[in-house]
Amino acid sequence: MSCIALSVGLGNVWRFPFIALENGGGAFLIPYIITLLLVGKPIYYLEMILGQFSSRGSVKVFEYAPIMRGIGYGQVITTFFISTYYSSLMAITLRYVVDSFYPTLPWSYCREEWGPLCIDSKLEKSADRQDFSEVKKTSAEFYFVHIVLREKPSIDDGIGVPNWILAITLAFAWLIISSVIIKGVKSSGKVSYFLAMFPYVVMLVLLIRSLTLPGAFDGVLFFLTPQWDKLLDAHVWYAAVTQVFFSLTVGYGVIPMYASFNRFHHNIKRDCTIVTTLDTFTSLLSGIVIFGILGHLAHESNTNDIKSVVKSGPGLAFISYPDAIAKLQAAPQVFSVLFFFMLFTLGVGTITGVFSTSINVICDRFLSAKRWIVVIVMAIICYCVGLMYITPGGQFMLNFIDFYGVTFIAIVLAIVELITAAWIYGIKNICRDIKFMLDIKTSIYYRLCWGIITPIFMTAILIYMLVDYKPLTYNDVPYPDYLYVLGWCISAIGICQLIIWAVYTIYEAPELSYCERFQNGFKPLSDWGPLEPEILKEYKRYVDDQKRSSVSIQKKTLWSKFCDNVFG
């Protein structure tokens, strides 16, 4: 349930629809599903295996190759950045929860200063829409951009001052997050039953409502109809990879952390299938809901261009969903409260796992530190950083940090993580550990993905990112030059954790020569394996028996080594 609450979150409802919108609607589904099968699911299962087998968190899990523990510390940096901007989205949802108590929903009608191109969201049909050649916008969009965000057209003169209302809701969000995780995984695990199941009730009701709106079918058709020429566009595949990473939360160290609390023989292969399938189902469900609403908005604004009716970006979910809610005839306030409370619970479910990763690493590193103090201090730090995202230029900064502080670092570290697990520790050893822990034989699908397909796929995506790199923009507006320099410095800090901790590992054993320290850094520590002493002893005997019973292979060539690792 914790993993479902983690993976099924705002990434499905907020991020997936606008990524799909930017990449051709239905054309995005095929790369997304292929990427899920070749990248998302194999990495998810691998991280669950390593976390449960060792009962170690996101840094200590790399004791199977201690020289690579910088992967874990780099992932902590990405989870910190995610925590800061994810909480700002939760602050916006709380603002909408409060606004839902007004007698008339404040985003359901146009203000005079918004001009004649504004459509009242609460109206089923705009009577005079044919009189306008320009594309009209709904009052829900005007409200989000001009009232909630107070968004600036650029940040050349700075990002501005935080919105005081959002500053209060952001503080309340961090109060909730801290109270959920302050006692550890047991308290957050109990909450996850509600966090994982409640959103589906609201989503299904919203699905029914969106599909009954005029023009909804056109939007859904746009979403589900593949545009085959888009499959040759490398950017679509890049978008699919980043969405899989963000949605499943793989490559951030969260999955090993959660899996480390499992019982040793727990059937995580089943869990992996359930979570990844449910995550995809939720993304498709939210996509149908969103594009049904976009089809209706296109119908209202008298255009056939689905992409033109709303500005894509993180605000899509805060525009299209409120627009649909405003059209409800019976008690829209009640449903609005339920819906935005649902969004908030989705956010809590995800950020609980992401934030807990950073907390657990700090507590593991400084054993004398009290957990509640660490949680409070980190929450205050994240709150202060999060104020940046609720300024008039906040969405510029969210887009900036998402790329330089999260996406780029996560892809590089994921490639290194895969190579470390598959080719330093070895697929053969991973499969042996799975056999010992779960008594199941690993399929050729996982072997090929871990060893060949997924690393090559990910490397190709990284090369594409670097070769096709263009200066980052938000709504086609470029950033000041100094921010590009700062962005690459942030990315370098995250990636350089690999070098920093590799050097630290080499210097940890002064009694050995540098060559011996370097070689030992790629070997598991002596106590690597199950954390419980009795199971560890049993595992050591199992490994020894496997070595004695196995037929020795003369590894004279690279090809024979390759085949033995993948298929042995």
Side-chain angles (χ1 to χ4, degrees):
M1 284 296 179
S2 292
C3 285
I4 291 172
L6 170 72
S7 296
V8 179
L10 292 179
N12 305 86
V13 178
W14 156 65
R15 200 174 191 272
F16 179 85
F18 86 76
I19 291 293
L21 181 67
E22 291 177 338
N23 292 278
F28 182 70
L29 294 181
I30 295 176
Y32 176 75
I33 293 173
I34 292 174
T35 303
L36 175 78
L37 295 175
L38 298 184
V39 176
K41 188 174 181 179
I43 298 179
Y44 198 96
Y45 185 45
L46 177 65
E47 291 189 339
M48 290 191 85
I49 286 292
L50 293 172
Q52 179 170 304
F53 178 78
S54 64
S55 296
R56 291 168 172 86
S58 57
V59 171
K60 288 192 173 184
V61 72
F62 290 100
E63 289 179 358
Y64 64 78
I67 202 169
M68 306 304 294
R69 66 180 63 158
I71 299 171
Y73 286 105
Q75 290 171 341
V76 168
I77 293 175
T78 64
T79 57
F80 170 77
F81 283 127
I82 292 173
S83 298
T84 60
Y85 74 64
Y86 214 89
S87 58
S88 71
L89 297 173
M90 295 169 62
I92 295 174
T93 64
L94 284 176
R95 164 72 186 266
Y96 273 87
V97 170
V98 174
D99 289 347
S100 299
F101 286 96
Y102 281 93
T104 301
L105 294 177
W107 60 83
S108 65
Y109 59 93
C110 294
R111 274 69 161 174
E112 184 177 347
E113 62 268 23
W114 294 345
L117 295 182
C118 177
I119 305 172
D120 281 357
S121 290
K122 64 183 176 182
L123 299 179
E124 287 287 349
K125 184 172 288 188
S126 178
D128 55 351
R129 66 175 184 267
Q130 66 272 16
D131 296 335
F132 297 94
S133 58
E134 294 183 73
V135 175
K136 301 168 80 174
K137 297 179 181 179
T138 65
S139 58
E141 180 173 355
F142 275 99
Y143 183 79
F144 178 70
V145 174
H146 298 289
I147 303 297
V148 177
L149 296 182
R150 301 174 185 175
E151 191 168 277
K152 301 172 64 174
S154 74
I155 56 171
D156 290 337
D157 57 345
I159 59 176
V161 179
N163 184 320
W164 69 270
I165 298 176
L166 293 181
I168 294 173
T169 56
L170 181 64
F172 185 76
W174 275 111
L175 181 64
I176 297 297
I177 296 164
S178 301
S179 63
V180 169
I181 69 171
I182 202 163
K183 291 185 178 180
V185 73
K186 287 188 176 181
S187 60
S188 63
K190 292 175 182 177
V191 176
S192 68
Y193 281 90
F194 174 76
L195 297 177
M197 300 178 71
F198 170 73
Y200 287 102
V201 178
V202 182
M203 284 286 288
L204 289 174
V205 176
L206 191 62
L207 173 68
I208 295 171
R209 176 55 185 155
S210 68
L211 293 180
T212 58
L213 294 171
F217 179 75
D218 294 332
V220 175
L221 197 62
F222 176 81
F223 176 59
L224 297 178
T225 303
Q227 301 171 28
W228 300 109
D229 58 311
K230 287 283 189 178
L231 296 180
L232 301 177
D233 187 351
H235 182 77
V236 175
W237 291 90
Y238 161 72
V241 170
T242 55
Q243 174 57 27
V244 165
F245 265 65
F246 192 91
S247 183
L248 287 178
T249 329
V250 294
Y252 299 111
V254 186
I255 306 303
M257 183 272 295
Y258 265 155
S260 68
F261 293 101
N262 280 345
R263 289 173 284 105
F264 184 74
H265 296 291
H266 180 71
N267 186 1
I268 49 175
K269 185 177 182 181
R270 175 201 62 197
D271 289 3
C272 175
T273 301
I274 291 173
V275 175
T276 53
T277 302
L278 193 59
D279 178 78
T280 305
F281 167 77
T282 309
S283 293
L284 295 176
L285 177 65
S286 64
I288 291 173
V289 173
I290 278 278
F291 278 88
I293 297 169
L294 292 181
H296 172 68
L297 296 183
H299 174 78
E300 287 294 293
S301 56
N302 197 30
T303 179
N304 294 322
D305 185 4
I306 302 293
K307 293 185 68 174
S308 70
V309 297
V310 69
K311 182 168 57 178
S312 65
L316 181 61
F318 295 108
I319 297 170
S320 299
Y321 283 121
D323 183 77
I325 292 170
K327 290 178 171 57
L328 292 174
Q329 299 300 313
Q333 291 84 356
V334 174
F335 189 77
S336 182
V337 170
L338 288 174
F339 171 73
F340 287 109
F341 182 66
M342 175 205 76
L343 279 188
F344 185 74
T345 59
L346 286 172
V348 171
T350 299
I351 202 171
T352 294
V354 172
F355 189 55
S356 293
T357 303
S358 302
I359 298 299
N360 286 353
V361 169
I362 295 172
C363 290
D364 288 345
R365 190 71 187 171
F366 304 99
L367 298 177
S368 59
K370 295 183 179 180
R371 182 181 177 87
W372 68 271
I373 295 178
V374 174
V375 171
I376 292 174
V377 171
M378 285 299 295
I380 292 173
I381 293 173
C382 288
Y383 172 77
C384 293
V385 176
L387 291 174
M388 170 177 66
Y389 305 111
I390 56 175
T391 60
Q395 295 303 300
F396 281 88
M397 298 312 298
L398 192 154
N399 186 54
F400 174 81
I401 292 296
D402 181 52
F403 179 78
Y404 290 109
V406 177
T407 302
F408 186 77
I409 298 175
I411 289 178
V412 173
L413 294 181
I415 294 171
V416 179
E417 179 185 13
L418 278 167
I419 295 172
T420 302
W423 295 103
I424 295 179
Y425 185 60
I427 296 173
K428 188 176 180 180
N429 291 336
I430 294 172
C431 296
R432 177 201 64 201
D433 296 345
I434 294 173
K435 179 67 177 176
F436 174 77
M437 182 170 64
L438 303 179
D439 195 26
I440 57 176
K441 187 176 181 180
T442 305
S443 67
I444 193 66
Y445 157 70
Y446 283 115
R447 290 171 176 263
L448 288 175
C449 284
W450 291 336
I452 306 171
I453 299 173
T454 308
I456 291 176
F457 196 105
M458 293 293 299
T459 304
I461 292 296
L462 178 62
I463 293 172
Y464 165 77
M465 285 179 65
L466 297 174
V467 171
D468 196 58
Y469 172 77
K470 296 180 179 65
L472 187 69
T473 62
Y474 174 71
N475 288 336
D476 296 324
V477 178
Y479 290 80
D481 291 338
Y482 71 89
L483 280 181
Y484 292 118
V485 176
L486 177 62
W488 286 115
C489 289
I490 292 173
S491 296
I493 291 172
I495 296 170
C496 283
Q497 298 301 310
L498 295 168
I499 300 173
I500 294 170
W501 291 98
V503 172
Y504 177 78
T505 301
I506 292 173
Y507 276 91
E508 266 189 321
E511 69 278 2
L512 302 175
S513 66
Y514 285 112
C515 184
E516 290 174 325
R517 296 182 209 176
F518 182 76
Q519 291 176 344
N520 287 342
F522 293 95
K523 299 176 183 178
L525 296 181
S526 58
D527 62 345
W528 164 255
L531 202 59
E532 295 184 26
E534 292 301 318
I535 300 179
L536 179 60
K537 290 179 183 178
E538 185 182 347
Y539 169 68
K540 296 293 185 183
R541 289 194 297 268
Y542 177 79
V543 172
D544 292 338
D545 291 342
Q546 290 288 309
K547 290 180 179 179
R548 284 193 295 267
S549 61
S550 63
V551 179
S552 178
I553 298 177
Q554 298 298 322
K555 303 175 184 177
K556 295 181 180 180
T557 65
L558 286 175
W559 177 248
S560 62
K561 293 179 181 179
F562 172 86
C563 292
D564 182 48
N565 185 42
V566 177
F567 305 106

